[in-house]
Amino acid sequence: MAKINVWSKKENPWQFEIEISEDARLSRHRVSLKEEFYKKFNPKVSPEELVRHSIEFLLERENPD
């Protein structure tokens, strides 16, 4: 299973850096989340957790190669 690290950027808390590592592979990504989109769903998780869960969802369905 992949290890996923997510953190927000200090200058914009709605932009996130993501690192995905599995075996010897490492990939880095940048993701933006619109505050309005986040608030629309009144989530019970932090923005970082929403991004992490979204990445996990995608990785379960897509081949990383």
Side-chain angles (χ1 to χ4, degrees):
M1 179 167 202
K3 180 179 177 188
I4 303 168
N5 292 315
V6 177
W7 64 94
S8 61
K9 300 184 70 130
K10 289 183 181 184
E11 60 273 9
N12 183 345
W14 297 102
Q15 288 185 346
F16 301 88
E17 297 288 334
I18 301 167
E19 283 186 349
I20 303 170
S21 59
E22 186 170 24
D23 301 323
R25 296 183 292 189
L26 175 67
S27 62
R28 292 187 174 104
H29 310 271
R30 289 192 178 122
V31 173
S32 295
L33 175 64
K34 292 190 180 234
E35 185 175 2
E36 301 82 30
F37 180 84
Y38 173 76
K39 289 181 177 181
K40 177 180 176 181
F41 295 101
N42 192 20
K44 305 279 190 238
V45 297
S46 69
E48 289 85 358
E49 284 299 307
L50 179 60
V51 170
R52 181 187 325 278
H53 291 309
S54 299
I55 297 297
E56 289 171 350
F57 177 86
L58 292 172
L59 288 175
E60 288 174 2
R61 287 153 181 80
E62 292 292 328
N63 184 347
D65 297 328

